[in-house]
Amino acid sequence: MAAADRSSSIVEYFGGEAGYRCGYCKNVTGNLSHGMWAHSMTVQDYQDLIDRGWRRSGKYIYKPIMNQTCCPQYTIRCRPLHFQLSKSHKKVLKKMLKFLAKGDSSKVAGDVTEEPMDSHREDAVPCSCVLKNESDISQSELKPLSVEETERVETEDNNEEEEMKEEVTMKKVESEPPQTCLDKDSAGSSERSDSAKLTTPKPGKGADLSKPPCRKAKDIRKERKLHKLLQNQPHTLEVSPSQVEPQVLLSQNSKSKANQPKSIEDFIFVSLPDDATHQLEVRLVPVSFEDPQFNSSFSQSATLFAKYQMAIHKDTPSECGEDEFTRFLCDSPLEAENPPSGPDCGYGSFHQQYWLDGKIIAVGVIDVLPYCVSSVYLYYDPDYTFLSLGVYSALREIAFTRQLHEKASELCYYYMGFYIHSCPKMRYKGQYRPSDLLCPETYVWVPIEQCLPTLEHSKYCRFNQDLKAVDEGCIKELGRVRVLHKRTVMPYSMYKKRRKGPSDEASVQQYASLVGQTCSERMLLFRS
């Protein structure tokens, strides 16, 4: 036996709660989860817990009862080291750069404006013991893409330039004038053109053949891109750009880029012009009232939180005051750690503040853990909704994970909370590729592409296709569970002998099976 170690995680397990209202399908009592209160927690213990399907909201740690809850919530992680920017992601990044450089806040055709900007963090669960005053979180309005559509969007933009170069090269090889191709079928084509002139379709009976066919937007974009390359390419020839062979300029332009698509850093960390209209600064602030930066910005940050909650989630002022803000987004059970081999910022909970021209317009709440950056929540100024701050902040956090990986090699994942396939509005998290879902039975990671077909048939799925596979981290020896009783640490086998009153073995067994053998032997389970 020993006194409680301050560096140990101390938790109080509540068991499975009665059902409460689901923020996704609005079922009044359909949302079911296990929960525990974390008085303190090490970053390694929390890392291991989220790898078993747990998630925190403030100091409350909860785990959905996956085979019973109305909307199963699967832990999802992105692999930032191999992250692929989609076309919509690039639009958001370019829109931010344009706004910063020129102050342009106009909407661009095709922008993803339907998605609530904090939707990739809207997984906070109301709890009767901790979050009973929290309003239900609204959901994303973004229409989800199918797997095929997502893959197409991700590859289309990267392939466009390559296809354009191939077309230009083909034009160079061709020595025959264009009209020779038309001569082969001149008779047939003349007959068709004559009939087109004589035949006028009735209204509503198809295309008007007397007018030229509509051009595809993709072809127009390729033509514009080629024209821009021709205009911007420096050259010393005493001829106009239109007279220069296009393939020569394209090959010269591609030498430096080696036909490589732009990385996320190329979009985020581009230098702004000296006369830029706006300045954006992203500050990483430890969540600690002992930190000067956190203290000095607390009031402004709390005010922004209230503004966001009232405008987006329709909270009343009493539901989003400073006390609620503190309990929900400032109180963290994670103990800060700064090992030599870790990232420069250390491990723990942080607020990533987005300062625009000297004021905070958004705050991303994140946990930096041994193997990942875990997204907790985002709140922003509703006046800047046009900047798609939810998507933008997610991309910044992916880039931030890549940056931390350079110092801490094991830190290489970005956890986005829960993926809820049964709620179509919440499927957008699968668009951050490549990503994996956690198997709710064996706790192994499976690429999301392999999971989606099974989720189409059943809202609850075991992703591990090996039917013989089991939870390798399951509890094997209940007596080894660490217990904190009367300020004394002891194994459960000893506590069981000393306990007076009815047995609590069933509750301890459930707790240990949910947190796993490793955490149950490392964390301290508080018993009164």
Side-chain angles (χ1 to χ4, degrees):
M1 294 186 295
D5 187 352
R6 291 186 64 185
S7 63
S8 297
S9 300
I10 302 174
V11 298
E12 192 170 354
Y13 181 65
F14 297 129
E17 296 184 8
Y20 53 88
R21 185 176 183 273
C22 175
Y24 304 107
C25 69
K26 311 306 179 185
N27 188 312
V28 178
T29 59
N31 203 339
L32 300 169
S33 68
H34 299 286
M36 57 187 178
W37 183 262
H39 296 275
S40 66
M41 181 161 287
T42 66
V43 291
Q44 184 61 61
D45 283 339
Y46 186 56
Q47 175 72 68
D48 292 343
L49 286 176
I50 62 176
D51 283 336
R52 292 183 65 84
W54 292 84
R55 184 158 172 79
R56 81 174 183 91
S57 179
K59 289 190 173 184
Y60 181 67
I61 319 289
Y62 63 97
K63 184 181 191 300
I65 305 176
M66 297 291 284
N67 59 351
Q68 297 180 31
T69 190
C70 55
C71 297
Q73 303 165 55
Y74 300 92
T75 303
I76 182 172
R77 73 178 186 186
C78 175
R79 285 173 264 156
L81 303 188
H82 305 284
F83 178 66
Q84 303 166 358
L85 277 171
S86 72
K87 194 171 183 180
S88 61
H89 295 155
K90 293 177 183 178
K91 283 185 177 180
V92 170
L93 295 174
K94 290 176 180 178
K95 179 168 58 178
M96 174 63 79
L97 290 175
K98 188 175 182 181
F99 171 74
L100 295 176
K102 303 179 180 179
D104 186 356
S105 60
S106 60
K107 294 182 180 179
V108 180
D111 281 353
V112 188
T113 54
E114 303 92 340
E115 179 182 340
M117 301 312 159
D118 67 330
S119 53
H120 65 291
R121 296 172 177 81
E122 294 194 337
D123 303 314
V125 169
C127 164
S128 59
C129 59
V130 183
L131 300 179
K132 58 185 179 181
N133 291 326
E134 286 299 327
S135 62
D136 294 307
I137 307 300
S138 65
Q139 309 312 317
S140 170
E141 298 296 330
L142 175 62
K143 182 179 179 181
L145 294 177
S146 64
V147 179
E148 294 80 4
E149 289 173 330
T150 303
E151 291 174 348
R152 175 181 56 76
V153 168
E154 290 173 345
T155 57
E156 183 181 37
D157 197 57
N158 293 337
N159 292 338
E160 232 177 40
E161 186 173 348
E162 185 176 348
E163 291 173 0
M164 180 174 64
K165 291 179 181 180
E166 291 175 355
E167 289 183 10
V168 173
T169 304
M170 290 174 63
K171 290 179 182 178
K172 178 182 178 182
V173 173
E174 292 174 353
S175 57
E176 298 294 329
Q179 58 269 26
T180 57
C181 298
L182 301 175
D183 293 339
K184 295 181 181 179
D185 197 25
S186 58
S189 61
S190 61
E191 290 176 2
R192 285 193 296 270
S193 60
D194 290 340
S195 62
K197 293 177 182 177
L198 297 174
T199 305
T200 303
K202 297 180 180 179
K205 296 294 183 180
D208 188 350
L209 299 179
S210 64
K211 296 181 179 179
C214 294
R215 299 176 62 195
K216 291 184 177 181
K218 181 178 178 181
D219 295 333
I220 297 175
R221 289 199 304 270
K222 288 162 63 176
E223 182 178 307
R224 288 175 181 171
K225 191 175 290 186
L226 174 59
H227 184 67
K228 188 179 293 185
L229 285 172
L230 293 174
Q231 284 187 329
N232 295 337
Q233 181 68 33
H235 54 84
T236 56
L237 300 176
E238 295 183 1
V239 292
S240 64
S242 59
Q243 294 175 299
V244 182
E245 288 290 340
Q247 67 275 10
V248 175
L249 300 182
L250 286 171
S251 61
Q252 291 175 354
N253 186 65
S254 62
K255 286 181 181 179
S256 58
K257 295 184 178 180
N259 204 25
Q260 292 292 327
K262 282 188 176 182
S263 69
I264 189 171
E265 289 82 7
D266 292 333
F267 285 96
I268 291 177
F269 301 115
V270 63
S271 298
L272 292 173
D274 294 335
D275 60 345
T277 306
H278 301 289
Q279 294 294 326
L280 179 68
E281 179 186 1
V282 180
R283 301 178 188 174
L284 187 69
V285 181
V287 179
S288 170
F289 286 98
E290 297 178 359
D291 183 84
Q293 276 192 308
F294 182 81
N295 262 329
S296 62
S297 61
F298 176 83
S299 179
Q300 185 180 168
S301 190
T303 301
L304 177 62
F305 170 76
K307 181 179 181 180
Y308 166 80
Q309 292 294 127
M310 288 188 287
I312 305 301
H313 300 311
K314 311 306 177 186
D315 281 7
T316 63
S318 61
E319 292 175 320
C320 52
E322 285 194 1
D323 290 342
E324 288 71 26
F325 170 66
T326 300
R327 173 177 51 77
F328 183 33
L329 297 176
C330 300
D331 287 344
S332 170
L334 301 185
E335 302 289 340
E337 297 180 22
N338 289 277
S341 59
D344 293 335
C345 63
Y347 299 115
S349 298
F350 298 85
H351 281 188
Q352 203 162 40
Q353 301 173 340
Y354 294 78
W355 290 76
L356 181 69
D357 302 332
K359 75 171 185 175
I360 303 176
I361 64 165
V363 177
V365 183
I366 60 174
D367 294 329
V368 179
L369 305 175
Y371 308 139
C372 74
V373 170
S374 176
S375 177
V376 178
Y377 200 69
L378 174 84
Y379 54 98
Y380 62 89
D381 190 333
D383 295 340
Y384 294 90
T385 298
F386 63 90
L387 288 176
S388 306
L389 291 172
V391 177
Y392 181 77
S393 64
L395 296 174
R396 291 289 303 228
E397 288 167 9
I398 289 172
F400 179 57
T401 305
R402 289 158 63 109
Q403 178 185 341
L404 296 183
H405 171 75
E406 295 178 3
K407 175 71 184 297
S409 59
E410 292 186 331
L411 202 165
C412 55
Y413 297 105
Y414 174 60
Y415 284 48
M416 298 178 282
F418 289 134
Y419 175 82
I420 303 106
H421 191 81
S422 58
C423 179
K425 296 178 182 179
M426 295 301 294
R427 296 181 186 179
Y428 64 89
K429 293 183 184 181
Q431 296 176 17
Y432 294 85
R433 299 291 182 92
S435 57
D436 311 300
L437 297 183
L438 185 69
C439 176
E441 295 182 10
T442 61
Y443 302 112
V444 297
W445 295 97
V446 181
I448 193 170
E449 295 85 355
Q450 298 178 25
C451 304
L452 294 180
T454 55
L455 286 172
E456 287 296 329
H457 294 91
S458 174
K459 64 180 181 179
Y460 172 74
C461 298
R462 169 194 168 107
F463 300 136
N464 193 334
Q465 298 301 311
D466 183 358
L467 299 181
K468 295 181 179 179
V470 296
D471 172 18
E472 296 293 339
C474 66
I475 184 70
K476 299 177 179 66
E477 297 182 55
L478 188 62
R480 294 173 62 88
V481 173
R482 294 180 82 198
V483 172
L484 177 63
H485 178 58
K486 294 182 178 180
R487 298 187 179 183
T488 303
V489 178
M490 63 186 76
Y492 178 70
S493 58
M494 183 176 293
Y495 163 77
K496 184 179 178 181
K497 295 176 181 178
R498 295 186 172 194
R499 176 181 171 81
K500 297 177 181 180
S503 172
D504 64 350
E505 184 170 337
S507 175
V508 175
Q509 177 72 47
Q510 185 182 64
Y511 155 80
S513 67
L514 294 171
V515 303
Q517 185 76 42
T518 301
C519 281
S520 69
E521 294 183 17
R522 205 165 52 205
M523 301 192 304
L524 302 180
L525 175 62
F526 175 79
R527 311 308 283 172
S528 57

